Amino acid sequence: MSPDMQGLIFKVSQILFESKLNIEKNDEFVDKEQNIFFMRTEVSGNLNAHEILKKLQTALPTQAQINIIPQTKKTIIIFCTKENHCLGDLLLRYESGELNVNIAAVISNYEILGDLVKKFNINFIHISHENLSRKEHEEKILKACEAYNADYLVLAKYMRILSPSFVEKYQQKIINIHHSFLPAFIGANPYKQAYQRGVKLIGATAHFVNDNLDEGPIIAQDIISIDHSYTWKDMQKAGRNIEKIVFAKAIDLALQDRIFVYGNKTVVF
């Protein structure tokens, strides 16, 4: 990510060519309103990361943000509460190899989903929130997380609001999923509220978590059409299906390092 100017692609490509690296895939985008240039390049060959980084820093503008990321399997910790659809979907994708990730542990404030998790031979950590302040509860969770070097925390319908101090420790590393009825239908049973209003579209949004509830940078979204024949339970079932798909897509994009975050938005290649 860099201030846009003429010749950026040429400069990067020249350095990679001179370093005998092969460009296998390249994506670029320019935000013309902000004058910001984005570029993601996949290369193969004998790469000396320190040397390449130094050359790029010399050739590109001083404000440029440059990351060289090796293709390795990342580690996540899943947070959940009582709903099993997003968690179960991730576990199945993990077991089948569709999701190229190491699930280090599943943390929940209830024991309900423990048996499901244990079927996949994954460590299940129950940390009850009862009789604890939010700070005390989060301190216990943070201590549990410290045992693993997780690249991301993923909130699979985790029904607890994380404090700003917690989020600060995992900036742009916490991924959440929720229905896309916000802000119109909030609180208990949004599907019943949507049914009563005759909603014709159901959607889901996956985003990074920040200090503003459900307002972090959006990674992925999708919608499906419904009609008057749907009961609110039919709508809920359809909503859960799309939540699973959008959540898995967002996590996969993060695992592949395909997301650029700037301001409160993303560029996704």
Side-chain angles (χ1 to χ4, degrees), residues 5 10 61 72 92 98 101 127 138 143 151 153 161 188 208:
M5 60 181 60
F10 170 77
T72 56
L92 287 171
E98 181 180 344
V101 69
I127 303 176
E138 289 187 347
K143 186 174 181 180
D151 296 285
L153 309 182
I161 298 173
F208 287 117

Side-chain angles (χ1 to χ4, degrees), residues 5 234 252:
M5 60 181 60
D234 293 333
D252 196 41

Side-chain angles (χ1 to χ4, degrees), residues 130-166:
E130 294 182 6
N131 302 317
L132 295 175
S133 67
R134 182 166 69 163
K135 181 180 179 181
E136 291 170 333
H137 187 235
E138 289 187 347
E139 285 175 351
K140 288 179 177 290
I141 293 173
L142 285 170
K143 186 174 181 180
C145 290
E146 286 171 2
Y148 311 96
N149 188 24
D151 296 285
Y152 291 97
L153 309 182
V154 299
L155 311 185
K157 308 301 290 185
Y158 181 64
M159 307 307 290
R160 299 275 296 175
I161 298 173
L162 298 174
S163 69
S165 61
F166 187 102

Side-chain angles (χ1 to χ4, degrees), residues 22-77:
N22 183 46
I23 296 176
E24 297 190 356
K25 192 174 188 303
N26 203 66
D27 296 285
E28 313 97 24
F29 169 71
V30 177
D31 183 331
K32 293 183 179 179
E33 290 189 359
Q34 302 293 327
N35 195 45
I36 301 176
F37 172 78
F38 299 85
M39 181 171 174
R40 179 183 182 274
T41 305
E42 295 181 14
V43 301
S44 60
N46 187 17
L47 187 149
N48 184 320
H50 178 74
E51 181 180 314
I52 295 294
L53 180 60
K54 191 173 181 179
K55 288 181 179 179
L56 290 171
Q57 288 172 334
T58 300
L60 300 180
T62 56
Q63 307 99 310
Q65 298 179 27
I66 308 164
N67 293 307
I68 299 177
I69 306 171
Q71 289 187 316
T72 56
K73 182 182 287 190
K74 291 180 170 54
T75 297
I76 64 173
I77 297 173

Side-chain angles (χ1 to χ4, degrees), residues 18-262:
E18 291 173 351
S19 301
K20 295 183 170 50
L21 297 171
N22 183 46
I23 296 176
E24 297 190 356
K25 192 174 188 303
N26 203 66
D27 296 285
E28 313 97 24
F29 169 71
V30 177
D31 183 331
K32 293 183 179 179
E33 290 189 359
Q34 302 293 327
N35 195 45
I36 301 176
F37 172 78
F38 299 85
M39 181 171 174
R40 179 183 182 274
T41 305
E42 295 181 14
V43 301
S44 60
N46 187 17
L47 187 149
N48 184 320
H50 178 74
E51 181 180 314
I52 295 294
L53 180 60
K54 191 173 181 179
K55 288 181 179 179
L56 290 171
Q57 288 172 334
T58 300
L60 300 180
T62 56
Q63 307 99 310
Q65 298 179 27
I66 308 164
N67 293 307
I68 299 177
I69 306 171
Q71 289 187 316
T72 56
K73 182 182 287 190
K74 291 180 170 54
T75 297
I76 64 173
I77 297 173
I78 302 175
F79 286 26
C80 65
T81 296
K82 294 182 178 180
E83 294 187 62
N84 63 12
H85 60 287
C86 285
L87 172 64
D89 182 68
L90 293 181
L91 295 176
L92 287 171
R93 292 175 189 267
Y94 163 77
E95 185 178 56
S96 68
E98 181 180 344
L99 201 61
N100 184 32
V101 69
N102 171 41
I103 300 178
V106 174
I107 296 176
S108 179
N109 55 320
Y110 287 93
E111 293 184 284
I112 294 172
L113 299 176
D115 288 342
L116 171 63
V117 174
K118 291 170 185 175
K119 289 178 181 178
F120 293 85
N121 296 316
I122 294 172
N123 189 25
F124 180 79
I125 303 172
H126 171 229
I127 303 176
S128 175
H129 64 279
E130 294 182 6
N131 302 317
L132 295 175
S133 67
R134 182 166 69 163
K135 181 180 179 181
E136 291 170 333
H137 187 235
E138 289 187 347
E139 285 175 351
K140 288 179 177 290
I141 293 173
L142 285 170
K143 186 174 181 180
C145 290
E146 286 171 2
Y148 311 96
N149 188 24
D151 296 285
Y152 291 97
L153 309 182
V154 299
L155 311 185
K157 308 301 290 185
Y158 181 64
M159 307 307 290
R160 299 275 296 175
I161 298 173
L162 298 174
S163 69
S165 61
F166 187 102
V167 172
E168 186 179 3
K169 296 180 186 297
Y170 290 93
Q171 284 287 334
Q172 299 176 15
K173 297 295 182 183
I174 308 175
I175 301 174
N176 190 28
I177 182 68
H178 60 67
H179 60 77
S180 287
F181 291 142
L182 298 173
F185 308 122
I186 60 177
N189 207 329
Y191 289 99
K192 183 173 275 189
Q193 297 178 55
Y195 168 76
Q196 292 168 346
R197 286 289 303 277
V199 163
K200 299 298 187 286
L201 291 173
I202 288 177
T205 296
H207 64 92
F208 287 117
V209 174
N210 64 11
D211 290 346
N212 300 315
L213 181 63
D214 296 326
E215 294 183 16
I218 294 171
I219 304 169
Q221 292 179 297
D222 204 353
I223 58 171
I224 54 172
S225 297
I226 61 170
D227 60 33
H228 61 274
S229 68
Y230 280 64
T231 67
W232 73 264
K233 289 187 177 180
D234 293 333
M235 293 170 63
Q236 184 182 61
K237 181 179 179 180
R240 285 174 174 172
N241 283 337
I242 198 164
E243 283 177 357
K244 291 188 292 186
I245 294 168
V246 171
F247 196 37
K249 179 181 179 180
I251 293 169
D252 196 41
L253 288 168
L255 297 177
Q256 295 183 56
D257 301 298
R258 303 180 72 89
I259 307 167
F260 290 74
V261 179
Y262 72 111

